Amino acid sequence: DTEVTQTPKHLVMGMTNKKSLKCEQHMGHRAMYWYKQKAKKPPELMFVYSYEKLSINESVPSRFSPECPNSSLLNLHLHALQPEDSALYLCASSPYGGARTGELFFGEGSRLTVL
Amino acid sequence: GDSVTQMEGPVTLSEEACLTINCTYTATGYPSLFWYVQYPGEGLQLLLKATKADDKGSNKGFEATYRKETTSFHLEKGSVQVSDSAVYFCALSRDDKIIFGKGTRLHILP
């Protein structure tokens, strides 16, 4: 069982909707990540939070808005998405405040479909 | 920039066959290297890692050795099982980022 919990597992939304993806971990990790994965492709990094501060934004469009309310929670707010944003969104955490050890712990993902 | 190249798939093998999935990297300095596995419908799991040259990572019968001279980190297993069917990603870490290869899909036939 994964110790990174993502909700919802599936989400269908229209292009005018506002929704949020949620991620939670209770392993005391201080870095959390959002990745986007299209079918048969590797995960692409979107955002990194390190000690609850946004440390990396990989030039992600503003229709994706991350939020880290505390060290255990990570949200991804979605607004005015496009059909090409349909993908599996993976949350991950890392114990060392960075990815230097590469030990990312992934959730099972939220599969998003934009109509 | 840093990058990871791994063999194209899918790779189809019979149960108990030997497996090698090739991975090479391009990086400045000395990154840490990893293999992640993604089973159908799941997120990624760290399979093994190596943090310096000549280190060998191993887990669940899989092995990979960090070869600085050939910039490689090939994944090997002596006898695969049907349950090993998954997508395998080679990756390297650079500062706060993990850079993944494109992934290799493995099918094991009973």
Side-chain angles (χ1 to χ4, degrees), chain A residues 36 38 63 82-87 89 114:
Chain A
K36 174 183 177 180
K38 302 282 275 186
R63 58 186 184 267
Q82 304 297 310
E84 59 264 29
D85 296 322
S86 299
Y89 288 83
V114 181

Side-chain angles (χ1 to χ4, degrees), chain A residues 8 68 90:
Chain A
C68 188
L90 292 165

Side-chain angles (χ1 to χ4, degrees), chain B residues 5-41:
Chain B
T5 302
Q6 59 183 107
M7 62 190 290
E8 295 284 335
V11 174
T12 302
L13 296 172
S14 296
E15 204 166 21
E16 299 183 4
C18 293
L19 169 71
T20 299
I21 300 178
N22 291 335
C23 170
T24 57
Y25 67 91
T26 302
T28 54
Y30 305 100
S32 295
L33 302 174
F34 312 90
W35 279 100
Y36 277 82
V37 59
Q38 187 173 29
Y39 297 103

